[in-house]
Amino acid sequence: MSSLLWAKPGIDVDADIQRFLAGDDVVLDREFIRYDVRASAAHAEGLQHIGVLSADELAAIQRELSAFDADVAAGRFVLDGRFEDMHSAIEAHLIERLGDVGKKIHTGRSRNDQVLVATRLWLRDRLQHAEVLCHAAAEVCLLRAEAEQSLPLPGYTHLQRAMVSSAAMWWSGFAEGFLDDTERLRQTTSWIDANPLGSAAGYGVNLPLDRDHTTQALGFGRMQVAATYAQLSRGKFELAALEALGSALLDLRRLAWDLSLFTSGEFGFVRLPATYTTGSSLMPNKRNPDVIELMRGVYASVAAAKVEIEQLLSLPSGYHRDLQFSKGAIVHGFGRGLAALGLLPKLLRELEWVPERMRAAIEPSMYATDLAVELAASGLPFRDAYREAANPERWKDRDPSASLQARVSPGAAGDLQLGVLAARWASLKPGRAG
Ligand code: ARG
């Protein structure tokens, strides 16, 4: 550990203890370091506004930060155990390049607000990415719902054959789900879009920091006003972000479950794009839906990340080093979650139905409910109609298309109201104010 910012004569540094303190933090900080650089530039501008840095000093710091950022982006600089964390790497770089000017960067800030602002910017980008992916998934679902309205699919409850459904009903359900997820992700983005930089160690500093400037320069929607709240929000905002991501992955989990049933030999309703399946190392006959199984499994990582952060948050106010572990949780949760959502639109676009198998799984009993409701609509009390419709003799001579066309309750096959969902999709286009 070469550059401990806080090293002073008379303080012993034990290698094992340093390793424990840093843990995998240096590696995790690779995720966040470019955000820390960006926030450092905004902080330097703020320092110049209040006279701590001259215009020349600011220009030198900005030049070095940009060069450093380019080195990180190009892989010429890789954060490793030479540094305690990303914060010390950035400061060490400025000092190495600029000497005394570099030593001024940390005026009025702490690693406590530095890590907050870097992780928050990171989270904001990840949430926006998740939002775009959910919006894209909803679009495919809507287009396919529109196109596949006359394709019957058995509808199940308790995994038992229940009523005639359609591919369009299946699609429209997930379309609306991913629209809700899009909206929730957007709301969460704006909920966490608050600037913690300038809260310093958690109690402010005796300088009139230009927090309005850093708020605006970093594109935050608002400043996190109370210096003490900045630390209270660490973990809490991470949790909210994981929850928003998690609602999309819960929808994905159920969708993937359907596909894993529907692609099985027993159902045979769906063929996956070849690239979304893998072979078996032993069984030459197999094509396995590994991709959709991993998509289904990813929710576990998000759930684990939420639990980890929840457990960490059992803390009094102020900064505590425990909070460092929240970074690993969001990196793992968002890493896997976004990877799974990233593969979703193409999967949805390319999966193929097998109409004959779907049709063959629709049995006459699935018309019983239609019949009962028909009889009730013609005046028979529903409970009597129900009994009469239980008679298998009465299920004959019906077909799925007629059943679907007659299903005119709003939101069902005969009145899908896809226009309503399409309008909502349009209103949620990324970039539009929420
Ligand atoms: N690695 C630390 C974290 O993630 C950075 C902040 C360290 N602050 C401190 N006072 N030791 O929390």
Side-chain angles (χ1 to χ4, degrees):
M1 223 64 66
S2 70
S3 68
L4 290 172
L5 298 169
W6 41 268
K8 287 189 278 293
I11 297 184
D12 280 344
V13 175
D14 177 281
D16 285 340
I17 291 178
Q18 279 316 307
R19 254 194 301 281
F20 179 68
L21 285 166
D24 54 4
D25 205 49
V26 193
V27 175
L28 286 172
D29 273 0
R30 291 176 191 167
E31 279 278 336
F32 304 103
I33 189 166
R34 296 189 65 202
Y35 296 94
D36 197 0
V37 171
R38 218 164 107 199
S40 296
H43 174 67
E45 286 156 15
L47 290 180
Q48 191 262 324
H49 293 172
I50 59 169
V52 172
L53 294 176
S54 70
D56 286 349
E57 289 172 332
L58 172 63
I61 287 174
Q62 281 175 322
R63 186 188 67 233
E64 288 309 328
L65 286 173
S66 307
F68 184 68
D69 187 56
D71 284 348
V72 175
R76 288 186 295 269
F77 176 87
V78 178
L79 188 64
D80 59 28
R82 288 172 297 155
F83 301 95
E84 190 185 357
D85 51 33
M86 60 181 166
H87 318 298
S88 45
I90 294 169
E91 187 171 338
H93 175 80
L94 290 177
I95 294 172
E96 183 192 306
R97 302 284 306 168
L98 301 172
D100 285 348
V101 174
K103 290 184 195 161
K104 294 187 178 185
I105 185 67
H106 210 58
T107 313
R109 77 172 179 183
S110 158
R111 285 184 293 170
N112 298 355
D113 63 339
Q114 249 184 298
V115 68
L116 266 171
V117 70
T119 51
R120 193 146 308 163
L121 291 168
W122 183 95
L123 270 182
R124 197 175 65 180
D125 277 1
R126 300 299 170 291
L127 285 170
Q128 281 167 348
H129 187 195
E131 181 191 321
V132 167
L133 293 172
C134 287
H135 192 255
E139 178 179 30
V140 183
C141 292
L142 279 173
L143 290 171
R144 293 202 65 168
E146 190 67 50
E148 294 168 8
Q149 298 192 42
S150 49
L151 184 56
L153 172 74
Y156 299 85
T157 68
H158 312 265
L159 270 185
Q160 309 293 315
R161 290 174 179 172
M163 288 177 70
V164 180
S165 180
S166 65
M169 285 193 78
W170 190 84
W171 287 117
S172 67
F174 286 107
E176 192 164 5
F178 287 119
L179 288 176
D180 275 354
D181 300 328
T182 303
E183 190 169 334
R184 184 168 184 192
L185 285 157
R186 179 170 308 183
Q187 285 165 353
T188 304
T189 304
S190 79
W191 198 67
I192 68 152
D193 195 18
N195 179 21
L197 183 62
S199 58
Y203 301 96
V205 287
N206 41 343
L207 278 175
L209 294 175
D210 193 350
R211 298 195 67 202
D212 286 333
H213 172 74
T214 58
T215 299
Q216 175 255 310
L218 296 170
F220 280 112
R222 65 187 188 280
M223 180 170 95
Q224 218 161 12
V225 177
T228 39
Y229 182 56
Q231 287 303 326
L232 289 170
S233 69
R234 189 170 183 196
K236 175 182 172 184
F237 281 18
E238 279 81 344
L239 201 54
L242 286 164
E243 268 159 13
L245 175 72
S247 55
L249 292 170
L250 282 174
D251 284 331
L252 176 56
R253 183 164 75 175
R254 298 191 74 177
L255 182 146
W257 236 128
D258 277 1
L259 294 181
S260 113
L261 285 175
F262 290 173
T263 52
S264 69
E266 279 65 17
F267 284 78
F269 297 166
V270 166
R271 264 191 295 269
L272 293 176
T275 49
Y276 281 69
T277 63
T278 61
S280 157
S281 62
L282 172 65
M283 300 169 282
N285 53 321
K286 294 293 300 288
R287 287 306 290 179
N288 295 322
D290 297 40
V291 177
I292 53 178
E293 290 167 346
L294 289 174
M295 285 176 154
R296 186 172 63 195
V298 158
Y299 184 76
S301 303
V302 175
K306 287 198 301 184
V307 170
E308 186 173 12
I309 291 179
E310 238 162 29
Q311 292 302 315
L312 290 171
L313 287 180
S314 175
L315 290 170
S317 60
Y319 175 81
H320 306 273
R321 191 68 177 260
D322 317 41
L323 293 165
Q324 172 167 294
F325 287 135
S326 64
K327 290 188 294 192
I330 56 174
V331 168
H332 298 138
F334 272 88
R336 286 189 180 169
L338 287 173
L341 288 175
L343 295 180
L344 182 60
K346 182 173 152 73
L347 167 69
L348 298 178
R349 254 192 310 274
E350 294 184 9
L351 70 83
E352 285 170 25
W353 297 107
V354 186
E356 322 77 74
R357 294 291 301 260
M358 293 149 73
R359 179 69 184 80
I362 293 173
E363 58 181 30
S365 69
M366 298 170 90
Y367 300 111
T369 306
D370 289 346
L371 175 63
V373 175
E374 261 169 45
L375 293 170
S378 65
L380 199 60
F382 179 76
R383 204 41 69 206
D384 298 332
Y386 176 93
R387 244 173 252 121
E388 191 159 335
N391 175 4
E393 281 306 307
R394 304 216 41 179
W395 303 336
K396 291 179 187 148
D397 306 322
R398 289 185 168 254
D399 75 275
S401 320
S403 171
L404 292 174
Q405 269 163 31
R407 199 84 53 74
V408 293
S409 58
D415 182 19
L416 283 169
Q417 307 213 358
L418 295 177
V420 174
L421 296 179
R424 186 158 170 231
W425 180 85
S427 77
L428 286 168
K429 272 210 177 109
R432 286 230 192 162

